Amino acid sequence: MSEGNMATFPCSTQRGLLISETWPGYNLDVFTLPNHYCEDLECVFIPHGVIVDRIERLASDIMKDIGDNHITVLCVLKGGYKFCADLVEHIKNLSRNSERFISMRVDFIRLRSYCNDKSTEDLQIIGGEELSKLTGKNVLIVEDVIGTGRTMKALLSHIEKYNPKMVKVASLLVKRSPGNETYRPDYTGFEIPDIFVVGYALDYNEHFRDLHHICVISEKGKEKYKV
């Protein structure tokens, strides 16, 4: 990859690491990937090591903001489970070596709003019957990716009915979607162009969750695994 291309790599902003529209990603042949996926991907968009380092910084920011609290972590399945697990582990490690301490319990919720690679208006909340336990609690919602923001706004509106003490949102990815000009989570890993990415537990119809890196799916991959 040329030095000119490297100039388009993420830069740090308050919105997370900003990845430009012109970032081409890395060639697939410089990383280890499952052979059965290689023809279904265009590039490695964010390498696993960069993801892990960024999550460690998010954990540090969360410790500074809401340390000395008991937190209920609400993990949005299925795509958020890897991000959530790594984020919680980093917070625990920081907490062990700090004068501040975060006591955490993790609950899970599942949202459905995608058909193939398109977000729909229909939001289904699975596991919502447990949300009554959030009354009076400090809540950290952990999400994999926020696109238009409609899904997260709907979830926040639903959670507010149970009167939590505090609600913060951490999202690994935020897309620069034309439909999202107002909502930003409290903690963002990466802000990316409005493209469909897979890997690191993000899926396309339940495929690609086992990739360590975040990758751009090819049109061939979309056609192969569409429902």
Side-chain angles (χ1 to χ4, degrees):
M1 192 173 298
S2 69
E3 292 183 2
N5 284 339
M6 287 301 292
T8 63
F9 197 69
C11 61
S12 180
T13 74
Q14 291 182 341
R15 299 180 301 183
L17 286 178
L18 178 65
I19 301 182
S20 73
E21 306 291 333
T22 57
W23 172 240
Y26 293 98
N27 292 332
L28 297 175
D29 58 5
V30 299
F31 291 95
T32 301
L33 297 164
N35 290 332
H36 59 282
Y37 283 149
C38 286
E39 294 184 356
D40 306 320
L41 302 170
E42 290 186 1
C43 67
V44 172
F45 202 61
I46 310 175
H48 181 258
V50 177
I51 298 168
V52 173
D53 284 353
R54 179 64 184 142
I55 293 174
E56 186 173 8
R57 176 52 191 265
L58 291 181
S60 177
D61 291 342
I62 291 169
M63 275 291 296
K64 290 177 182 176
D65 290 346
I66 56 178
D68 296 327
N69 281 286
H70 178 82
I71 303 296
T72 297
V73 178
L74 188 62
C75 174
V76 180
L77 297 174
K78 296 181 181 178
Y81 79 84
K82 182 63 175 170
F83 173 41
C84 183
D86 288 348
L87 180 63
V88 167
E89 186 62 27
H90 279 303
I91 293 173
K92 286 181 177 179
N93 289 337
L94 290 170
S95 185
R96 292 188 190 104
N97 300 294
S98 172
E99 295 180 357
R100 309 185 77 188
F101 178 75
I102 293 183
S103 173
M104 292 180 293
R105 65 183 293 264
V106 180
D107 283 336
F108 301 92
I109 191 171
R110 188 174 177 187
L111 307 179
R112 285 181 178 172
S113 62
Y114 267 84
C115 180
N116 293 322
D117 61 340
K118 303 298 183 184
S119 179
T120 69
E121 297 288 342
D122 183 26
L123 174 65
Q124 294 178 295
I125 300 177
I126 303 171
E129 65 276 359
E130 299 294 322
L131 294 181
S132 59
K133 297 179 181 179
L134 301 181
T135 301
K137 301 291 177 45
N138 298 306
V139 181
L140 176 66
I141 300 173
V142 178
E143 173 68 290
D144 55 352
V145 55
I146 292 176
T148 63
R150 290 192 299 265
T151 298
M152 183 54 64
K153 287 179 181 178
L155 176 59
L156 289 171
S157 178
H158 189 74
I159 289 177
E160 286 297 331
K161 298 176 183 177
Y162 299 97
N163 298 313
K165 181 178 179 182
M166 177 191 72
V167 180
K168 299 283 188 180
V169 178
S171 184
L172 179 62
L173 305 176
V174 172
K175 292 184 181 181
R176 289 190 294 277
S177 170
N180 184 10
E181 299 177 354
T182 58
Y183 180 75
R184 285 292 184 274
D186 301 282
Y187 308 101
T188 301
F190 304 87
E191 183 183 299
I192 67 172
D194 189 17
I195 57 176
F196 198 86
V197 291
V198 295
Y200 196 71
L202 282 75
D203 77 305
Y204 178 80
N205 294 329
E206 297 300 326
H207 296 277
F208 303 102
R209 293 194 193 277
D210 52 332
L211 288 171
H212 288 306
H213 315 290
I214 291 177
C215 301
V216 177
I217 187 174
S218 67
E219 291 303 318
K220 180 178 179 180
K222 291 180 182 179
E223 182 64 25
K224 180 178 179 180
Y225 295 109
K226 75 176 183 180
V227 294

